[in-house]
Amino acid sequence: MARLTQRVQRIKPSPTLAIDSKAKQLMAQGVKVINFGAGEPDFDTPEPVKEAAIKALKAGKTKYTPVGGIPELKTAIINKLQRDNGLTYIPEEILVSCGGKHALYNIAQVLFEAGDEVIIPAPFWVSYPDQVLLNDATPVVVPTQEKDGFCLQPEDLERAITPKTKAFILNSPSNPTGGAYSKEALAQLAQVLEKHNLLCISDEIYEKIIYDGFEHVSIAALSPRMRELTLVVNGASKVYSMTGWRMGYSAGPKDIIAAMTKVQGQVTTNINSITQWAAVEALSGPQDFLKDWVAEFKKRRDFIVDRFRAIPGVTCFKPQGAFYVFPNIRAYFGKKANGKTIETSDDLANYLLEQGQVAVVAGSGFGAEGYVRLSYATSMANIEEGMTRIAQTLSQVK
Ligand SMILES: *Cc1c(COP(=O)(O)O)cnc(C)c1O
């Protein structure tokens, strides 16, 4: 009998973590790799947040807390959802989990089982399909187009729906494309979801990293009906540069949140107690540092998009949010580099790493062959050097 379950054999290790570790391995050997692989901000956690953690630690806040989060944190989350998203929740509609990823996994655990289909637009964040598979359900991947800013069109959503469809996963602004849905685009999707009474899992982890006056709207805020159909997922990792702290949360219908809290109570219990106090400060304290971060990200985005657009054969969508670019490199397929033919985005990513010492993530892992993802959560000096290397390395592909 096989030792490991079929469930675990269905999934693969996270490809974004894999390229990051390959790059770090090369760096440890002394190779100066420019790493565009990382999916986390390069800024430090804001000082007041660290201070709040130190204070909590010294005050002995080191014991178990309620599974779903301390009341102070639930209140901070409720206030945030009201202030930023115009959404009204009560504590029983909130669950604090070990990162947005864990929040999403709790949702998958209580909503999905064998026979269920879950609609996921591609390019997608790597964990969505695998979390669906881990819960015996079937991911239904629906491609989006670069010309549509990688936003799913309502008719494509409608076409993908079957009697087995359980939910739809929305991610705006998106990892890996940086594409984001306007209020009008969301309203069109919401119309389809309402018509079919479909649940929407709305991953809004990048909501505050947006450019050029783009306005983030939560799909849950569009109508009372959508509020009842939506699980909003958010967290501190990206917006507060707190990836290592592990704080994410879900807001949604009471019965679903209660089921998720029951699961979490049997698996991880509460998240780190000190992190919870730090998160209260992150969500409730001054938010002005964000303006500087977003201005810095925007400078890097503009530079990197311009440089990609100057490379022959590459097209590059200008993202409205997050800190990734997702250039189309399909023109290089079928061409030769170092005597080898480049056939996939993985081939191209490997070539860039080996020949140019630049780490990018192949689009294949995001369900989008023909693209690569670069994170610009790295210094301007690194970006300048990296883009020079990419242009140089690609010019040798014939
Ligand atoms: C980073 C990320 C998350 C969650 O990250 P956590 O560190 O687990 O909070 C969720 N969704 C997307 C699209 C992300 O990029």
Side-chain angles (χ1 to χ4, degrees), residues 57 94 100 150 156 187 198 200 222 264 287 305 312 324 373:
L57 183 58
I94 306 287
F150 298 106
D156 291 332
L198 269 191
C200 179
L222 292 183
Q264 186 167 305
Q287 308 283 309
V305 168
Y324 309 99
R373 188 195 79 174

Side-chain angles (χ1 to χ4, degrees), residues 39 98-104 125 128 171 173-176 203-206 233-238 242-244 246-248 323-324 373:
C98 309
K101 192 179 268 187
H102 184 216
L104 290 160
W125 186 50
Y128 300 142
N171 176 215
S174 149
N175 175 4
D203 180 347
E204 304 179 18
I205 200 110
Y206 293 100
V233 174
N234 210 321
S237 283
K238 307 299 161 61
M242 291 176 69
T243 43
R246 312 309 302 135
M247 196 290 279
F323 40 72
Y324 309 99
R373 188 195 79 174

Side-chain angles (χ1 to χ4, degrees), residues 236-301:
S237 283
K238 307 299 161 61
V239 167
Y240 299 102
S241 206
M242 291 176 69
T243 43
W245 296 72
R246 312 309 302 135
M247 196 290 279
Y249 58 89
S250 328
K254 216 160 82 173
D255 60 324
I256 300 177
I257 295 292
M260 290 163 61
T261 308
K262 184 168 73 172
V263 169
Q264 186 167 305
Q266 296 289 21
V267 180
T268 58
T269 313
N270 58 274
I271 77 162
N272 179 301
S273 57
I274 296 154
T275 290
Q276 293 190 57
W277 289 101
V280 170
E281 173 61 28
L283 292 171
S284 323
Q287 308 283 309
D288 47 323
F289 64 91
L290 250 171
K291 252 205 341 261
D292 297 340
W293 289 6
V294 171
E296 178 61 30
F297 277 143
K298 177 183 148 48
K299 222 168 38 191
R300 300 174 186 174
R301 177 202 65 163

Side-chain angles (χ1 to χ4, degrees), residues 36-324:
F36 288 115
E40 61 183 347
D42 52 322
F43 306 114
D44 198 3
T45 303
E47 208 53 42
V49 176
K50 291 190 189 173
E51 290 297 334
I54 292 166
K55 203 173 132 206
L57 183 58
K58 294 231 160 111
K61 310 277 192 197
T62 55
K63 301 285 166 56
Y64 287 133
T65 76
V67 169
I70 54 173
E72 290 83 350
L73 180 52
K74 284 201 174 185
T75 300
I77 290 167
I78 287 166
N79 291 343
K80 178 261 173 256
L81 289 165
Q82 186 75 63
R83 176 185 75 212
D84 296 345
N85 310 107
L87 288 164
T88 308
Y89 289 99
I90 56 170
E92 292 74 23
E93 294 171 317
I94 306 287
L95 170 64
V96 179
S97 301
C98 309
K101 192 179 268 187
H102 184 216
L104 290 160
Y105 188 74
N106 280 329
I107 293 171
Q109 277 256 298
V110 305
L111 293 184
F112 307 151
E113 60 196 351
D116 291 341
E117 294 178 354
V118 182
I119 298 176
I120 304 173
F124 48 70
W125 186 50
V126 293
S127 296
Y128 300 142
D130 283 6
Q131 290 197 352
V132 170
L133 289 168
L134 266 178
N135 290 285
D136 305 327
T138 306
V140 174
V141 173
V142 185
T144 63
Q145 306 302 321
E146 192 175 341
K147 68 168 172 55
D148 297 325
F150 298 106
C151 286
L152 183 68
Q153 301 304 294
E155 58 275 15
D156 291 332
L157 172 60
E158 180 111 47
R159 249 196 307 274
I161 295 170
T162 76
K164 294 180 173 173
T165 309
K166 190 70 186 279
F168 165 63
I169 304 183
L170 175 69
N171 176 215
S172 177
S174 149
N175 175 4
T177 69
Y181 290 74
S182 68
K183 188 175 177 183
E184 294 69 36
L186 289 177
Q188 291 185 331
L189 295 181
Q191 209 174 18
V192 178
L193 296 170
E194 288 183 5
K195 182 173 138 196
H196 294 271
N197 206 28
L198 269 191
L199 289 168
C200 179
I201 298 160
S202 181
D203 180 347
E204 304 179 18
I205 200 110
Y206 293 100
E207 70 167 331
K208 288 171 190 286
I209 306 175
I210 44 179
Y211 311 110
D212 310 324
F214 182 87
E215 272 188 62
H216 171 83
V217 173
S218 173
I219 195 167
L222 292 183
S223 68
R225 186 87 195 98
M226 276 318 296
R227 186 199 176 282
E228 288 315 302
L229 288 174
T230 304
L231 284 140
V232 175
V233 174
N234 210 321
S237 283
K238 307 299 161 61
V239 167
Y240 299 102
S241 206
M242 291 176 69
T243 43
W245 296 72
R246 312 309 302 135
M247 196 290 279
Y249 58 89
S250 328
K254 216 160 82 173
D255 60 324
I256 300 177
I257 295 292
M260 290 163 61
T261 308
K262 184 168 73 172
V263 169
Q264 186 167 305
Q266 296 289 21
V267 180
T268 58
T269 313
N270 58 274
I271 77 162
N272 179 301
S273 57
I274 296 154
T275 290
Q276 293 190 57
W277 289 101
V280 170
E281 173 61 28
L283 292 171
S284 323
Q287 308 283 309
D288 47 323
F289 64 91
L290 250 171
K291 252 205 341 261
D292 297 340
W293 289 6
V294 171
E296 178 61 30
F297 277 143
K298 177 183 148 48
K299 222 168 38 191
R300 300 174 186 174
R301 177 202 65 163
D302 291 347
F303 178 84
I304 207 165
V305 168
D306 285 349
R307 291 292 296 268
F308 265 118
R309 287 180 172 174
I311 298 175
V314 177
T315 62
C316 188
F317 164 72
K318 191 175 222 172
Q320 296 109 315
F323 40 72
Y324 309 99

